[in-house]
Amino acid sequence: MSERKPSPFKILLDTDACTLIRAAEDVYQVRFKNRAANTYLVRGSSRTIMIDVGLSSNYPHLVQCLNHVGCPPDKIDMVVLSHEHLDHIGAAWHFSGRTFIAAHRLAANKIMLRDDFSMLRKMFNEPNVPINVDIWLEEGNLIDLGNFRLNVMYTPGHTSACISLFDQDKGLLFAADTLMPGGVMGGVFGSGSIADYIQSLERLKGLNSKILLSGHGRLSDTPQEDVRIAIQRSHTLLSDTAQLFDALDARANFEPIMQSVRDLNKLDDN
């Protein structure tokens, strides 16, 4: 088995809770050591943003990392949320009032209505505090930071509301849970779709990306190989799912269950 080459990304701080890594000039990854998603700090010449913020419980550790690079929370102009899952957005309420919060319109709706099922609140046991989304993003929006120009790409599949951000000039792909190193997929949750996932991965394949900055795991300098593997795996998943439903297509066995469902959904007209 061949060993992976040494990482070209420099570790700036390593604690029991998280690791701070320089992904590129003025771009930093905070990688938490619990279930929280990665967060990214992008320091532009005209404004500074964070992409995802992790769990609320990790906020003190996030602040420690931000202070380490001389960028405390009050210097952040905007927080961009990649989708609605709380491991990515739980700490966003700490930024409310001083920082613009942005998300795709579908994610914004779920977040602001506190759709606990979609946000996976039981899975992460986060405090039930409001997170207000100030800016509703759409496919084709441009986030201009001066020396960074991040294009918003609508990349559903993991959920219906996922976005990725891509800087074409620098080849930086912030793919959240749509694509991870080694071609790992982030799973297909309630509002997601394998077919949408495949389409989104095909879009990412067409980019001239040089560094993959994903929602979980390490940084990757082989994004083209990562997306190739992910597309292969997603087609396998789609095929396996079809075979599963074919195997379960014994309608007589399902009839008692379906009748129970129909009974539960009957209107009470009495």
Side-chain angles (χ1 to χ4, degrees):
M1 181 181 295
S2 62
E3 295 183 0
R4 185 183 299 131
K5 63 181 180 181
S7 172
F9 307 107
K10 183 179 180 180
I11 295 175
L12 304 179
L13 179 68
D14 193 13
T15 73
D16 291 340
C18 61
T19 306
L20 174 66
I21 304 168
R22 180 184 286 117
E25 186 175 358
D26 295 320
V27 180
Y28 305 90
Q29 179 195 64
V30 180
R31 185 175 176 184
F32 297 105
K33 296 179 181 180
N34 58 8
R35 302 173 72 194
N38 298 331
T39 75
Y40 294 95
L41 174 69
V42 185
R43 303 179 72 172
S45 57
S46 59
R47 55 190 59 86
T48 296
I49 69 167
M50 288 207 67
I51 302 168
D52 289 335
V53 288
L55 293 167
S56 180
S57 58
N58 285 337
Y59 182 69
H61 308 298
L62 176 60
V63 172
Q64 180 185 9
C65 290
L66 294 176
N67 288 334
H68 189 81
V69 293
C71 187
D74 60 6
K75 289 189 176 181
I76 294 170
D77 299 295
M78 184 166 69
V79 167
V80 179
L81 306 177
S82 64
H83 60 292
E84 66 272 20
H85 287 166
L86 280 164
D87 57 326
H88 293 255
I89 73 169
W93 67 274
H94 292 284
F95 293 86
S96 295
R98 66 170 182 263
T99 303
F100 289 111
I101 309 293
H104 188 270
R105 59 179 179 82
L106 294 178
N109 190 49
K110 297 172 188 177
I111 293 167
M112 295 184 72
L113 289 175
R114 301 196 210 180
D115 182 345
D116 289 346
F117 175 77
S118 294
M119 294 167 67
L120 306 182
R121 191 173 302 281
K122 284 189 176 181
M123 181 181 294
F124 296 107
N125 195 30
E126 284 285 89
N128 191 6
V129 294
I131 298 173
N132 293 317
V133 180
D134 306 294
I135 301 172
W136 290 29
L137 299 172
E138 295 280 1
E139 164 77 26
N141 288 158
L142 176 67
I143 301 174
D144 190 346
L145 309 182
N147 56 332
F148 294 94
R149 292 168 62 86
L150 299 170
N151 291 284
V152 176
M153 300 179 64
Y154 177 48
T155 50
H158 177 63
T159 76
S160 65
C162 290
I163 57 171
S164 300
L165 302 177
F166 181 59
D167 186 311
Q168 184 172 351
D169 293 335
K170 300 181 186 299
L172 301 175
L173 174 59
F174 299 87
D177 286 2
T178 299
L179 175 65
M180 287 178 267
V184 174
M185 299 166 59
V188 179
F189 282 77
S191 64
S193 159
I194 302 174
D196 287 345
Y197 217 137
I198 292 172
Q199 186 176 42
S200 294
L201 289 171
E202 289 287 355
R203 291 192 65 200
L204 298 184
K205 179 184 176 183
L207 303 176
N208 183 29
S209 53
K210 298 183 175 79
I211 299 177
L212 170 63
L213 306 98
S214 64
H216 299 272
R218 61 182 173 83
L219 295 158
S220 171
D221 60 352
T222 58
Q224 296 301 317
E225 176 67 6
D226 296 331
V227 74
R228 183 193 67 78
I229 295 170
I231 290 171
Q232 183 181 45
R233 287 177 172 172
S234 62
H235 278 285
T236 300
L237 178 61
L238 187 63
S239 175
D240 289 347
T241 303
Q243 291 182 43
L244 174 64
F245 279 104
D246 285 344
L248 294 174
D249 193 20
R251 299 187 185 279
N253 294 337
F254 280 107
E255 183 53 32
I257 300 172
M258 295 308 300
Q259 186 58 53
S260 296
V261 172
R262 286 192 288 270
D263 291 341
L264 286 171
N265 289 306
K266 280 183 179 177
L267 292 175
D268 185 1
D269 293 327
N270 297 327

